[in-house]
Amino acid sequence: MVREVLTFQLGHYANHVGTHWWNIQESSFNYDPLAEPSDIDHAVLYREGATRERQMTFTPRLLMVDLAGTLRHLPRAGDLYADPPEPPPDSQPQDVPWDPAKLETIHSPGGPCQPHPYQTDLRAGQAAEEEVPKEYDFAETAQGWVDYSYARFHPRSINIIERYAYSPDECQFDTVPHGALLWQDGDFRETLTDRTRQYVEECDQCQGFQMLFDCGDAFGGLAAGLLEHLHDEYGKPSLVFPVFSPNPPLFKGADETTSDSIRTVNTALTFAQLPERCSLFAPLATMEHCWRRTATPRVFPHTTYGPHNLYQTAAILAAFLDTVTLQYRLRAVGEAATVGHLAGLCSDLTQHGRQMVAASLALPFAMDASQDLIDCLDQNEGEQLMVPLSPAANIGTRGVVQSVCMRGIPENRLKRPPTAKGAQRQQRMAGYRCGSVSEMLQLFFSCTLPVSMSHVTASRTALPVNQPFPIEMFTPVDRFTHDGFLTQEHRVSQPVASVTSVPTLAALQSSTGLGDGLEKLHHEAGRVRLARIPRFTESGLEAGEFAEALEHLLELRGKYDEGYEL
């Protein structure tokens, strides 16, 4: 029976991340009836349907919310179930009852938004058919997530907040209380809850919900209201990822310092509400510092990216999401095999009420093309295998509870056969007795992380990095094999697209060290004088409510004290 999960994406950067995530999943679809079936059950996140012409569709089980202007050329109902309407011809207003001398007609500059060349080629069937992918330079040319979206959506998936317009330079949808007020709007709330109900009623066995939302602005308040509804209405587990943009715009009418203060207050208010409304949450960012100033980009040893580029940074977060969620998306293999569930993942990581966890990722997993996994792990003993992807995260090496997912390591790369050259050296290692990738990683973490608990999931399917994924991040290209392993040999010059997949390692981790980040957030938010930011009081936030939120934040921080160590 399918274990469906419904996904929510709230906010512009969250939709950047989500677009890459759906692109990655569709890149792994295999339409060859003779090929070995994938070990990933795509029906967990996708749904079957049919158009009016009875053509079968397979679309994300998704509800996304964004601001006016972000769809650009894309119709709100998507372009899968019907052709988009032709734009009306330019004409002057007719039969205007007002005085023409007092009527002002405003025309949008440049006319209708033109599709990105990738979208034009995709619609024409060219982007998918070219043997040598065309260069689109998305990092420089993409003006929004719709420009590089390969996935096509169900008509109910896209929801637009018309009263707030998107701008890359100025944010109008600014405070958590404003987001809460939007949730109280009857029409908007009814539309979103009805569409949620329709998705859930289609499911055979809905596992629960997963949500991405922009943290630091009003989408935090909207997410809190929606999560409260999901908790009260369905009582199913929810896994939540607040995402922080590496290049957040200033808020309307605010300078840089005030914008930083608004963002800090919004984050504190959001984090204070999440423990009561979701099962587990993991903040995601490619920047190390996000509480006040967004600074210090994370460094990946074998990945190069623009630290403020939304297209490239979102791809890194999407690679993490597609890997770490495999625990509840894999098929059962073999008669005695069991499948993972979202509820199990959440309960394993929330001991002692620690509902905030940290994210970590190795992209790619740094394994040489000539190595076996046992040698790679032996070489990295005592080293950090992954890079943190949560702001102010201090995981440590003791008392760690984690869910780890490894993908893209074939079983024949586990170790040498007993009679092969070099096998005698490996046989002296404890890991040689392991018979699977997950078992070997489990042993590795039990030896390197004292007094810790690890749940390890492994998939043979590597992370696909086909266009429109930013393959340019894996440079120099001659240092990678086509399946993403490292090589010391300089290969003959060839197109960047020669790397088609990479092995990755991702984890959700909990430890006492996460309390330090919460304490820093509490300190920064406590320094803000709320009376100097009228937009909070104007939207209904009282000083007593803010003080109570800070107290809730401090209570959450207390659950990570050393006294709770395993």
Side-chain angles (χ1 to χ4, degrees), residues 305-316:
Y305 67 99
H308 300 287
N309 189 280
L310 301 189
Y311 163 72
Q312 292 183 337
T313 57
I316 294 174

Side-chain angles (χ1 to χ4, degrees), residues 70-71 89 174 215 218 233 305 371 397 399 422 484 493 502 522 526 535:
T70 54
L71 293 185
D174 51 7
C215 195
E233 187 72 17
Y305 67 99
Q371 276 185 319
T397 59
S493 178
V502 293
H522 178 271
R535 67 188 70 203

Side-chain angles (χ1 to χ4, degrees), residues 232-259:
D232 294 342
E233 187 72 17
Y234 302 102
K236 295 181 180 295
S238 54
L239 175 58
V240 177
F241 298 98
V243 296
F244 292 84
S245 171
N247 191 26
L250 298 180
F251 291 103
K252 185 177 182 179
D255 57 19
E256 185 175 356
T257 301
T258 304
S259 292

Side-chain angles (χ1 to χ4, degrees), residues 271-272 275 281 291 352-356 394 510-523 549-564:
F271 278 31
F281 71 99
W291 297 159
H352 311 295
R354 296 174 177 173
Q355 288 174 267
M356 187 187 80
N394 176 24
S510 178
S511 72
T512 57
L514 297 186
D516 297 340
L518 290 170
E519 188 170 349
K520 292 177 183 177
L521 175 59
H522 178 271
H523 173 72
L550 291 180
E551 187 63 30
H552 288 321
L553 192 63
L554 203 58
E555 290 176 4
L556 179 61
R557 184 261 173 271
K559 295 177 181 178
Y560 294 85
D561 283 339
E562 289 290 337
Y564 285 107

Side-chain angles (χ1 to χ4, degrees), residues 119-151:
Q119 293 297 328
T120 302
D121 291 345
L122 197 62
R123 182 172 296 180
Q126 298 174 4
E129 295 176 357
E130 295 176 346
E131 293 184 5
V132 179
K134 181 178 176 181
E135 292 289 341
Y136 293 100
D137 194 16
F138 290 107
E140 298 296 330
T141 62
Q143 299 184 41
W145 54 267
V146 297
D147 288 342
Y148 57 88
S149 174
Y150 180 82

Side-chain angles (χ1 to χ4, degrees), residues 300 319-320 323-324 360-366 373 377 384-387 389 403-409 437 441 444-445 456-458 463 502-508:
F300 290 81
F320 164 80
T323 302
V324 83
S360 295
L361 174 70
L363 178 70
F365 178 68
L373 180 60
L377 295 178
Q384 292 288 340
L385 294 180
M386 295 171 283
V387 176
L389 274 184
S403 173
V404 183
C405 293
M406 167 70 87
R407 67 190 304 176
I409 307 294
V437 172
L441 273 175
F444 174 82
F445 287 121
V456 180
T457 302
L463 180 81
V502 293
T504 55
L505 179 67
L508 291 171

Side-chain angles (χ1 to χ4, degrees), residues 308-385:
H308 300 287
N309 189 280
L310 301 189
Y311 163 72
Q312 292 183 337
T313 57
I316 294 174
L317 300 186
F320 164 80
L321 290 170
D322 195 61
T323 302
V324 83
T325 57
L326 288 176
Q327 179 177 337
Y328 55 87
R329 293 167 48 214
L330 290 181
R331 301 180 189 273
V333 179
E335 295 181 0
T338 58
V339 293
H341 289 271
L342 179 59
L345 170 66
C346 295
S347 63
D348 289 345
L349 293 173
T350 53
Q351 298 187 27
H352 311 295
R354 296 174 177 173
Q355 288 174 267
M356 187 187 80
V357 294
S360 295
L361 174 70
L363 178 70
F365 178 68
M367 180 170 160
D368 195 86
S370 61
Q371 276 185 319
D372 296 312
L373 180 60
I374 189 172
D375 293 325
C376 179
L377 295 178
D378 182 64
Q379 175 183 313
N380 287 280
E381 187 172 357
E383 303 291 335
Q384 292 288 340
L385 294 180

